[in-house]
Amino acid sequence: MKTHETTIPVRAFDRAYINGQFVTPHGTQVVDLVNPTDNKVIGKVTMADEIDTRKAIGAAKEAFNTFSQSSKEYRMDCLQRLHDAVAERMDQLVEATIVEYGAPQDRAKGSNNLAAEIFLHFKKVLGDFDLVKTVGTSKVVMEPAGVVGIFTPWNSSAGSIAIKVAPAIAAGCTVVIKPSEMSAMQTAVLMDAFHEAGLPPGVINVVTGLGEVVGTELTKSPDIQKIAFTGSTQIGKLIAKYSLDTMKRLTLELGGKSPNIILDDADLFTAIPMAINACYLNNGQACIAASRLIVPEDQLDEVKRLAKAAVEKIKMGDPRDRGVTLGPLASIKQYKRVQECIKSGIEEGAELVIGGEGHPQGLEGGNFVKPTVFANVTRDMRIAKEEIFGPVLSILTYKTEAEAIEIANDTEFGLIAYVSSADPERATRVARKLAAGRVLINTLSHDPFAPFGGFKQSGIGREGGIFGLQEYLEPKAIIG
Ligand code: NAD
């Protein structure tokens, strides 16, 4: 394997951003930041603690007094400045995403460009939105919800942060962000961008630290009125429990086990390579990964042949190498978990079409997993039920359209679903019966103005567009 590790010096990440200033955290615990491509240490990250968190909450609370009263035009200008400052640092952000997370170049560029654009999307949404309406005989004023605590995961750091900060700013809220401790390099770039955007001190604060320390302090604080979280369903439930005492508003974007239904009239030559891409997106570490492929029983042999051929074309390796489309998993922990899932698929009797346990040859130094496809998967198997968060596809079969829908909905999750068909009306009819917050028909495209969020245990609330903005507003009726 061609490696680039000698070019990465070990950096210290020891700043928090509180009240418009970069500060050295009071917390002293230091954790390693590791390059997942070779598992070499590339950073030493100082964890902020409860005292830092309280300072950030205090700054955001103070700033809310004035920022909540600011005009729509002023907030639109803030969103423009945030966009410009993030866009200006695009190269750094892309490099950080590749080095620290292992995203292939195209993915790193696409996801970070989208992160910058999100600020412009919300500038437009705010511009078109009536913050004061007449309803019945009342004046209804849409007021900012308050100080927002933001928690984000490591698999889509800038995007997960932008999709929360942008509507919060649009609404007139102030924020305390706690990014993943595994995203310190991307966080450092974003902190610089937030500072340069020049919003009033305390409007945006960033506290880097551990979930159980910084996260718990934010979740329990009576001065935080809303939590916006992207992460695992397990932690989402914990946050919801803690938030109850202070009746916080919640947006929870959680896990998924998304179904991809191939209807019997679909063009398999298009649909199956697309299905592989939909499952292996972001190195398979995507909450929207289409990890259950549901195909007509009598087309299984052809599906297996096409899936295997599509996987064989994938170029896996150092994400900094041109043409690589599949990189390593983000951590050794994640690698081990995915190995366990692959092992369980084999032990439970699923048919291994391609891939399997262990590292791909020549990629033993990093957290690389063999891109894997299982066929003859049954609904009771672990690989059909659990979110694996790696490049592992499970193929299930159906006899009738009704059975396909039943299999698709047989999950505790409901984030997103995919349908392929030659008949758009038929596909739409099927889409209407799927319990998912978003259904993609014959496409993997993203609509930034459409709502994004989950049914069932995939979450509460929606992000994106007008639905996303409303999550940060409280309606107040003024009567008489
Ligand atoms: P995670 O739930 O472990 O952590 C998410 C964030 O919460 C991190 O910043 C973490 O430090 C913090 N956290 C941990 N414990 C906390 C606590 N007690 N209180 C407050 N915050 C706490 O998730 P992860 O491993 O970072 O990310 C992977 C998960 O995220 C997957 O399950 C994936 O499906 C999910 N995800 C969902 C979406 C979506 O939009 N639905 C998008 C991306 C990822």
Side-chain angles (χ1 to χ4, degrees):
M1 182 182 70
K2 185 181 163 203
T3 55
H4 305 256
E5 69 268 27
T6 47
T7 60
I8 305 173
V10 177
R11 267 177 67 187
F13 296 94
D14 52 4
R15 299 181 306 169
Y17 183 63
I18 299 175
N19 205 24
Q21 292 181 330
F22 292 101
V23 294
T24 303
H26 174 268
T28 52
Q29 189 185 349
V30 174
V31 302
D32 285 344
L33 184 69
V34 174
N35 177 355
T37 299
D38 56 17
N39 282 317
K40 294 217 162 99
V41 174
I42 52 171
K44 297 278 176 188
V45 190
T46 303
M47 299 289 104
D49 65 8
E50 293 92 340
I51 291 174
D52 301 305
T53 313
R54 276 178 230 142
K55 277 188 193 151
I57 296 172
K61 188 180 173 189
E62 177 66 29
F64 183 75
N65 290 331
T66 42
F67 193 65
S68 60
Q69 305 300 312
S70 60
S71 70
K72 194 181 193 179
E73 289 66 32
Y74 177 71
R75 277 152 27 199
M76 286 169 69
D77 181 54
C78 288
L79 289 163
Q80 180 69 52
R81 282 189 272 148
L82 285 163
H83 162 268
D84 296 349
V86 174
E88 227 169 75
R89 287 165 178 74
M90 193 49 62
D91 289 351
Q92 286 176 55
L93 206 47
V94 166
E95 176 66 9
T97 309
I98 295 171
V99 168
E100 148 185 274
Y101 171 69
Q105 296 199 19
D106 284 354
R107 166 75 197 176
K109 285 178 190 156
S111 64
N112 285 307
N113 277 323
L114 177 62
E117 281 168 18
I118 285 169
F119 294 102
L120 296 184
H121 299 151
F122 276 97
K123 181 184 173 194
K124 174 167 175 24
V125 170
L126 178 61
D128 295 342
F129 190 81
D130 289 330
L131 287 164
V132 182
K133 313 168 200 272
T134 303
V135 178
T137 56
S138 309
K139 184 193 267 194
V140 177
V141 186
M142 302 300 285
E143 296 205 342
V147 181
V148 183
I150 291 175
F151 306 110
T152 53
W154 39 260
N155 64 328
S156 174
S157 188
S160 296
I161 289 173
I163 197 74
K164 297 168 180 58
V165 172
I169 296 303
C173 297
T174 58
V175 303
V176 179
I177 307 164
K178 195 222 81 68
S180 171
E181 50 279 18
M182 287 163 63
S183 310
M185 207 178 267
Q186 296 163 81
T187 300
V189 179
L190 285 178
M191 281 198 286
D192 286 340
F194 293 155
H195 184 63
E196 189 192 283
L199 274 55
V203 171
I204 298 180
N205 304 275
V206 185
V207 185
T208 54
L210 296 174
E212 56 268 34
V213 180
V214 175
T216 305
E217 186 68 31
L218 278 163
T219 313
K220 291 188 170 169
S221 169
D223 292 326
I224 297 281
Q225 282 76 41
K226 176 178 169 68
I227 298 279
F229 170 84
T230 295
S232 61
T233 298
Q234 186 197 359
I235 301 292
K237 286 179 183 175
L238 198 66
I239 287 174
K241 277 182 196 149
Y242 285 155
S243 295
L244 194 64
D245 280 344
T246 44
M247 213 49 89
K248 290 181 175 39
R249 277 61 184 140
L250 292 175
T251 311
L252 303 176
E253 300 292 351
L254 310 176
K257 187 71 186 174
S258 299
N260 184 357
I261 299 180
I262 308 296
L263 292 175
D264 57 13
D265 60 358
D267 170 18
L268 296 184
F269 289 94
T270 309
I272 300 308
M274 197 193 282
I276 295 294
N277 287 340
C279 180
Y280 295 176
L281 188 80
N282 203 21
N283 301 344
Q285 300 168 130
C287 52
I288 57 170
S291 51
R292 290 183 299 142
L293 182 62
I294 302 168
V295 306
E297 194 179 70
D298 58 4
Q299 295 180 7
L300 178 62
D301 286 345
E302 182 67 348
V303 167
K304 284 195 292 190
R305 193 182 67 73
L306 290 169
K308 187 163 182 277
V311 172
E312 280 167 348
K313 282 195 193 135
I314 290 172
K315 189 169 171 204
M316 188 172 213
D318 188 319
R320 280 178 292 171
D321 289 342
R322 281 177 81 84
V324 163
T325 52
L326 197 59
L329 298 186
S331 65
I332 291 185
K333 186 175 159 210
Q334 196 63 20
Y335 172 84
K336 286 187 182 156
R337 192 188 127 68
V338 173
Q339 291 299 319
E340 263 177 43
C341 289
I342 295 173
K343 188 161 179 266
S344 83
I346 295 166
E347 284 173 359
E348 290 187 80
E351 177 196 344
L352 195 58
V353 176
I354 189 165
E357 291 178 80
H359 290 89
Q361 210 183 354
L363 294 172
E364 291 81 4
N367 306 319
F368 293 93
V369 167
K370 290 180 191 162
T372 296
V373 175
F374 281 109
N376 291 319
V377 176
T378 53
R379 287 196 244 177
D380 55 324
M381 290 180 187
R382 180 176 170 193
I383 55 170
K385 292 195 288 196
E386 271 183 35
E387 181 177 52
I388 297 175
F389 237 51
V392 182
L393 178 67
S394 299
I395 305 178
L396 298 97
T397 57
Y398 67 86
K399 287 193 178 66
T400 63
E401 187 180 295
E403 192 193 0
I405 294 165
E406 196 201 318
I407 294 171
N409 288 337
D410 186 13
T411 167
E412 64 194 28
F413 298 109
L415 187 60
I416 194 161
Y418 303 78
V419 181
S420 285
S421 169
D423 176 352
E425 272 180 35
R426 183 181 176 205
T428 305
R429 201 178 63 230
V430 170
R432 292 292 302 271
K433 292 182 181 158
L434 297 175
R438 207 176 247 212
V439 184
L440 302 189
I441 297 174
N442 297 331
T443 183
L444 302 184
S445 65
H446 173 57
D447 180 352
F449 295 101
F452 177 76
F455 281 31
K456 301 193 273 184
Q457 293 192 37
S458 284
I460 294 175
R462 294 292 182 272
E463 292 188 324
I466 194 171
F467 296 89
L469 175 61
Q470 282 174 337
E471 299 273 338
Y472 292 80
L473 293 165
E474 290 274 17
K476 178 190 280 176
I478 300 176
I479 306 172

